[in-house]
Amino acid sequence: MTKILFTLFLINKSGVVFFSVTPAMALKGWIEGDESADEMLSRLLTEGSPFFFLPPLHRLPLRVGNVLELVGPSTSAKTQILIQAAISCILPKEWNGVHYGGLGRLVIFLDLDCRFDVSCLAQLLKHRIMEANGLSSKEHREQQLGDLLNCDAKRQPNMFYDEELFAVCMRRFLYVRCYESFEFLTTLKTLHYRLRRESEAHGISVYCLLIDSIGAFHWVDRACRPLPMGGDNRKSLSLLGVSETVVQEVSNLLLLHPMVVIATRTTILGDKSSANEVPW
Amino acid sequence: MAPLKSLELEYPIIDVNFQNFCASHAIFSVEDFVLHDLYQLAAFAEQQPTSERLKEGITQVLNIIDNLHQPWLNGLELLEDSLQNKQVLSTGFEGVDLLLQGGLREGQLTELVGPSSSGKTQFCLQTAANVAVKNMGYVAYLDTGNSFSPQRIAHFAGQISESAFNQTKQKIIQKAMSSILCHSVFDIFSMFDVLRQLEFDLRSQMDRGEYRVPLLIVDSISSLISPVLGGSGSQGIDP
């Protein structure tokens, strides 16, 4: 509780500082177009809690527009973190009186590793739903202690809603696989139109873009160094060209669809040239 | 990659004017299109006299690009597909089956990593024998280090088959051995050849469905890839 208050205080303070320091001459029109600190606060509060409550992401004040990279060796549960984040995103805040504490938004999963196991996601989602329901059915059972019939009747509707809720949540999880850099780039290029279509179809917007293993094609792209044809202006599908285009596309996308981007990257074991790891 | 000129026949909106406009921004093919910032291109198109047609052309190329990636699926469709189409193959080792929650899954790549002489080849041979004996289809075995041993396969197949009679046992062993297709590959290009041939065979037989290859084993892939990557052996790939 104190942590949240402290962060809000920071936003408030920074809002005030911003508006008092900037000179009002040529930028006046530009400044007036933005929202005031008060409006920004109310927007952030109504957007729902931007914090993912599951460790280790709960320590980060993730907000839309942030790009987070999870780096680690091969079996350090990075994809698990992505799956948990996805589940927090697709679960609704409340459903039929049961509190799930999710965000109720769409999630896009770009699988570059092609190792995604959907049954793992389904299992974890069911577990989360049953966990939230288990508490409420327990309360019901305590309320109606001597009345077995009532208990059964109350429990059955919960199980029925589980199925429906499960289906609704699974439909909010959008998945695409990329087997090479070119497919990755084409997916990113057409992502904007896809997101628009999906948002209209579901009525909710995307909150999260999850990329599993952004370095998946690193070695392949590094090995393919096609000769640049037709002058200097022409880019090629080399490592540099692909990386630049990916960064450009993601930043363009974030301007149109404000969302959180989380990408994983595998460090190669025993590679002495890998970056220093910040102790978590 | 397809040069823009070749798309003119099918999509008349990609006319010479559009191609010249793209050429002025060093875009000659669909690949260049994908690498270029399209919002910037659209902004430049605005300044041209034929801006509407140019923007239509850009939209048309975007539609073409939309067909060049894998289809989008939602979670429910993914789950249904994995439950209906993807079988679980038992490895023959109870402990490993428990760890893998049933066994090896179709459509998934399972990597077996370990130092040399840790039993990886034996595991591969046992799994191949198990799948072959249980009549789940053919097994494609790509052997890079001459470690494939038919004697071991026969031994495992004999162990797995539950028949007590010698004759039926021999028949089972023979049938199992004939469903394991072993290819010796010593460099990555011959492996690509074998895989392409396999893909072609499977695709051409898809309607009849008699030629099923549920298991593909590569023993071992690091000896094919480390010469290509070069550098010291500590690039993280253990044999």
Side-chain angles (χ1 to χ4, degrees):
Chain A
M1 196 55 191
T2 43
K3 210 175 177 184
I4 299 173
L5 281 175
F6 176 71
T7 323
L8 289 177
F9 170 71
L10 273 179
I11 299 166
N12 213 348
K13 199 169 181 218
S14 66
V16 168
V17 166
F18 173 73
F19 282 105
S20 65
V21 162
T22 334
M25 295 307 126
L27 304 168
K28 191 166 189 179
W30 181 72
I31 290 174
E32 277 170 359
D34 274 15
E35 55 191 357
S36 69
D38 181 39
E39 287 166 12
M40 179 173 154
L41 245 183
S42 55
R43 172 174 66 86
L44 286 175
L45 287 175
T46 51
E47 219 176 58
S49 172
F51 294 86
F52 283 112
F53 291 107
L54 294 164
L57 293 178
H58 67 292
R59 287 188 239 176
L60 298 171
L62 280 179
R63 211 160 296 140
V64 289
N66 288 145
V67 179
L68 177 69
E69 189 185 44
L70 302 170
V71 178
S74 184
T75 46
S76 42
K78 302 187 294 295
T79 313
Q80 273 296 316
I81 297 177
L82 287 188
I83 294 180
Q84 294 285 6
I87 291 178
S88 301
C89 226
I90 56 182
L91 277 174
K93 191 149 188 198
E94 243 193 18
W95 182 273
N96 288 325
V98 184
H99 177 77
Y100 292 101
L103 295 168
R105 306 272 286 271
L106 294 176
V107 155
I108 304 268
F109 194 99
L110 298 183
D111 195 5
L112 306 189
D113 247 0
C114 307
R115 281 200 282 187
F116 184 68
D117 187 7
V118 71
S119 48
C120 189
L121 173 75
Q123 226 174 11
L124 283 170
L125 183 61
K126 277 194 189 132
H127 180 78
R128 280 278 282 271
I129 293 178
M130 286 202 293
E131 207 179 33
N133 264 328
L135 296 171
S136 79
S137 69
K138 201 176 175 190
E139 286 163 6
H140 279 150
R141 235 177 289 156
E142 283 171 355
Q143 277 176 16
Q144 332 249 328
L145 243 161
D147 210 346
L148 277 169
L149 213 71
N150 272 0
C151 248
D152 280 352
K154 277 227 154 75
R155 227 180 300 150
Q156 264 175 16
N158 272 339
M159 292 313 286
F160 172 74
Y161 290 140
D162 282 350
E163 294 297 317
E164 202 189 305
L165 176 61
F166 180 77
V168 164
C169 287
M170 285 301 268
R171 267 189 225 111
R172 288 184 190 158
F173 182 84
L174 303 169
Y175 174 88
V176 78
R177 263 189 187 197
C178 302
Y179 289 112
E180 50 173 359
S181 298
F182 185 72
E183 285 185 14
F184 181 38
L185 290 176
T186 51
T187 313
L188 283 178
K189 275 232 142 40
T190 52
L191 197 54
H192 165 60
Y193 303 98
R194 190 82 214 185
L195 286 179
R196 230 180 20 199
R197 237 183 296 169
E198 296 291 338
S199 301
E200 278 166 27
H202 283 92
I204 39 176
S205 60
V206 177
Y207 187 74
C208 238
L209 171 65
L210 307 172
I211 304 176
D212 197 359
S213 209
I214 195 119
F217 308 124
H218 174 88
W219 293 108
V220 181
D221 288 339
R222 206 181 89 146
C224 300
R225 254 170 282 182
L227 295 167
M229 300 180 286
D232 304 315
N233 276 343
R234 205 173 172 194
K235 279 191 191 169
S236 57
L237 273 181
S238 60
L239 187 61
L240 185 62
V242 169
S243 314
E244 280 178 355
T245 317
V246 168
V247 170
Q248 197 182 66
E249 288 303 319
V250 173
S251 13
N252 284 344
L253 203 62
L254 285 175
L255 288 173
L256 295 166
H257 297 269
M259 55 187 172
V260 175
V261 180
I262 310 180
T264 61
R265 192 162 65 86
T266 314
T267 52
I268 297 170
L269 276 169
D271 192 1
K272 294 188 185 100
S273 61
S274 61
N276 291 329
E277 286 167 14
V278 179
W280 188 220
Chain B
M1 256 298 130
L4 287 177
K5 259 189 283 204
S6 63
L7 298 168
E8 193 175 345
L9 265 172
E10 218 181 311
Y11 306 98
I13 196 129
I14 304 177
D15 53 2
V16 185
N17 191 22
F18 183 74
Q19 287 167 34
N20 286 336
F21 168 69
C22 290
S24 64
H25 293 276
I27 300 175
F28 299 98
S29 68
V30 178
E31 192 181 274
D32 293 328
F33 218 91
V34 168
L35 289 166
H36 210 271
D37 187 353
L38 289 183
Y39 297 106
Q40 215 181 41
L41 198 67
F44 277 118
E46 278 285 321
Q47 295 164 1
Q48 298 284 319
T50 52
S51 63
E52 284 306 314
R53 249 189 102 74
L54 288 175
K55 280 197 277 193
E56 276 177 40
I58 295 177
T59 318
Q60 181 57 59
V61 182
L62 262 175
N63 280 335
I64 297 169
I65 290 175
D66 205 9
N67 295 327
L68 290 173
H69 60 75
Q70 300 294 321
W72 284 87
L73 296 163
N74 67 29
L76 213 57
E77 290 167 4
L78 259 181
L79 192 63
E80 276 171 21
D81 172 62
S82 89
L83 288 174
Q84 283 172 6
N85 301 338
K86 308 270 170 37
Q87 268 187 25
V88 174
L89 304 170
S90 164
T91 57
F93 296 104
E94 267 182 36
V96 177
D97 279 347
L98 230 114
L99 275 176
L100 294 174
Q101 292 174 345
L104 300 170
R105 288 216 221 134
E106 280 185 10
Q108 274 195 354
L109 175 71
T110 307
E111 280 179 60
L112 213 56
V113 179
S116 46
S117 303
S118 47
K120 301 188 294 297
T121 305
Q122 295 303 311
F123 180 90
C124 293
L125 293 172
Q126 162 78 329
T127 311
N130 200 42
V131 171
V133 167
K134 301 270 163 73
N135 288 329
M136 296 191 240
Y138 288 92
V139 176
Y141 198 106
L142 301 186
D143 185 24
T144 66
N146 284 329
S147 50
F148 183 75
S149 158
Q151 293 89 346
R152 285 300 280 166
I153 295 269
H155 175 74
F156 285 133
Q159 271 187 338
I160 297 165
S161 67
E162 289 149 358
S163 167
F165 297 109
N166 214 7
Q167 216 188 15
T168 38
K169 209 170 193 174
Q170 283 303 313
K171 271 201 186 148
I172 292 174
I173 293 176
Q174 244 184 350
K175 189 163 187 295
M177 303 268 289
S178 58
S179 2
I180 301 180
L181 312 166
C182 183
H183 302 265
S184 280
V185 290
F186 298 111
D187 63 271
I188 199 152
F189 302 105
S190 45
M191 187 178 93
F192 283 155
D193 278 340
V194 170
L195 290 176
R196 245 173 246 140
Q197 187 59 46
L198 187 65
E199 187 188 343
F200 181 73
D201 290 340
L202 284 171
R203 243 189 250 261
S204 57
Q205 305 241 353
M206 216 147 70
D207 300 330
R208 279 176 282 157
E210 351 168 292
Y211 183 64
R212 278 202 70 240
V213 185
L215 185 61
L216 169 69
I217 299 178
V218 182
D219 179 21
S220 62
I221 196 136
S222 55
S223 59
L224 297 179
I225 298 203
S226 26
V228 175
L229 287 182
S232 58
S234 68
Q235 292 291 328
I237 297 180
D238 287 330

